[in-house]
Amino acid sequence: HFDVTPYADRLVVFRSDLMEHQVLPSLRRDRIAITIWLYGRAVSNTEHTYLPSKGFCLDDAALNNNGAADKEYSNSNLPPPLPNSIDNTSTKKTGDQTIFVAIPSYRDEETWPTIKSLVETACHPERVYVGVVFQVDTMSPEEMHSFTTAKGSGVSLEFFHWSQEANFRSITLDYRHATGPCYARHLCQTLFRDEDYVLQIDSHMRFRPNWDEYLIQQLNKTRCPDKALLTAYPPGYELPNGPGPNAEIRAT
C-alpha cells in the first residue's frame, strides 16, 4: 500500500469499487471531507466484451467461432461487470463453491425475470441453486401457469449453463394462507441443501455481471468470513430488463 498525504490543493481520484482504500484519523487538526457520487449510463464498447463463460474480455478470446461477439448476454441497459479479482489465499476455488438463493414470491410476475437475471449474469451459473416460495391463487390454473413456471412468464433459460431440473426447488402456497414475508422466508430456508453460501433476495431484482464471484470475494475479505454477513439496499430498476440508462449504479 502507499499513503497519500493530504496537502492543500491535492486531489486524489480513483474508482472506490476497484481500489481498497482507508481514511486515517487526523491527529493534528480537524478534517473536512466532501463526498460526491457520480452516476452515469453504460456505454457499449466493442473492444470490451463481457462473456459469462470468460468474464470481461479485451481480446479476440471474447469472440465466438464466427468472429462475432457472443450475444448470450448483450443487454445495453446493463451496467458494467463487477470487478473479479483472483484470490489465491482461499483453499477452495470460488467457482467450486455453491450458492443457495432464497426467493419468497407473492403473486409477482417479476419472479422468473429475476431468476433469469440471476442466472445469466453469474460467472458460474451451474453452482447457483434457487429456492422459491410461490404464494399464488392455487385455484386459478392461469395464475399458477403464469407465476410459477418460466414458460408461463415468457422466460427462457435454455441458453444458459443452468439446469432447472437440478438447480431449482420450489414450494407453492395458496396466497390466502400467506402470513407475511417472514414465514415465506422461513419456508425458503427449508429448501436449503447445505450449499456453501446463502443469498436472500426479493422476487423483483436485477443483477450485475460477476455478482457471484464478487460477493464471495467481498465476504472473504472480512475479518471472520465464517460469521460475516453482507447486506445492501439494492437500487431500483426499469422494466422489462433494467436497470435502465438512468439507473443508480453501485458495486454492492
Side-chain angles (χ1 to χ4, degrees):
H1 76 278
F2 60 89
D3 296 329
V4 179
T5 305
Y7 289 128
D9 297 326
R10 171 172 286 178
L11 174 67
V12 179
V13 180
F14 58 91
R15 284 281 300 273
S16 61
D17 59 333
L18 299 179
M19 179 179 293
E20 292 186 354
H21 56 282
Q22 179 184 19
V23 179
L24 299 176
S26 176
L27 303 179
R28 298 179 59 185
R29 59 177 62 90
D30 293 337
R31 173 183 291 135
I32 299 176
I34 299 176
T35 302
I36 301 175
W37 295 95
L38 302 177
Y39 302 98
R41 59 180 302 177
V43 178
S44 177
N45 189 337
T46 56
E47 295 179 359
H48 297 71
T49 304
Y50 174 77
L51 301 183
S53 59
K54 301 181 178 66
F56 203 54
C57 306
L58 305 177
D59 52 29
D60 293 339
L63 302 178
N64 60 21
N65 295 331
N66 296 325
D70 191 336
K71 297 182 179 179
E72 182 180 30
Y73 187 75
S74 58
N75 190 334
S76 61
N77 286 329
L78 288 166
L82 289 160
N84 184 6
S85 61
I86 299 177
D87 183 7
N88 294 323
T89 62
S90 176
T91 57
K92 188 176 183 180
K93 294 181 179 180
T94 57
D96 298 330
Q97 296 171 319
T98 55
I99 303 175
F100 173 69
V101 183
I103 308 176
S105 171
Y106 184 86
R107 309 182 80 177
D108 192 352
E109 61 185 12
E110 277 290 284
T111 303
W112 280 103
T114 294
I115 296 173
K116 180 176 183 292
S117 176
L118 181 82
V119 171
E120 70 179 356
T121 55
C123 284
H124 304 281
E126 70 282 354
R127 55 96 173 265
V128 176
Y129 294 84
V130 179
V132 181
V133 173
F134 294 107
Q135 299 163 97
V136 298
D137 186 355
T138 56
M139 303 297 291
S140 170
E142 294 79 9
E143 183 166 319
M144 286 284 294
H145 179 67
S146 177
F147 287 163
T148 66
T149 68
K151 184 177 181 180
S153 298
V155 170
S156 175
L157 298 168
E158 58 183 286
F159 299 107
F160 306 106
H161 303 294
W162 188 78
S163 170
Q164 184 174 337
E165 290 75 18
N167 293 50
F168 178 76
R169 308 153 195 160
S170 67
I171 295 174
T172 301
L173 176 71
D174 191 277
Y175 80 97
R176 300 172 186 86
H177 298 157
T179 57
C182 293
Y183 179 58
R185 293 192 187 281
H186 161 71
L187 291 177
C188 281
Q189 293 304 315
T190 66
L191 300 172
F192 174 69
R193 299 293 182 269
D194 294 324
E195 284 79 14
D196 295 298
Y197 298 96
V198 174
L199 175 63
Q200 184 171 270
I201 65 172
D202 290 330
S203 57
H204 34 269
M205 296 185 67
R206 294 294 183 271
F207 292 81
R208 290 182 64 178
N210 295 349
W211 67 266
D212 52 335
E213 287 280 317
Y214 180 83
L215 291 180
I216 292 176
Q217 290 165 7
Q218 292 300 305
L219 191 64
N220 288 335
K221 290 180 180 179
T222 61
R223 183 174 300 178
C224 187
D226 291 339
K227 296 183 179 180
L229 176 68
L230 301 180
T231 65
Y233 191 89
Y237 62 93
E238 298 177 10
L239 295 174
N241 297 317
N246 300 315
E248 178 182 355
I249 295 177
R250 285 185 273 172
T252 55

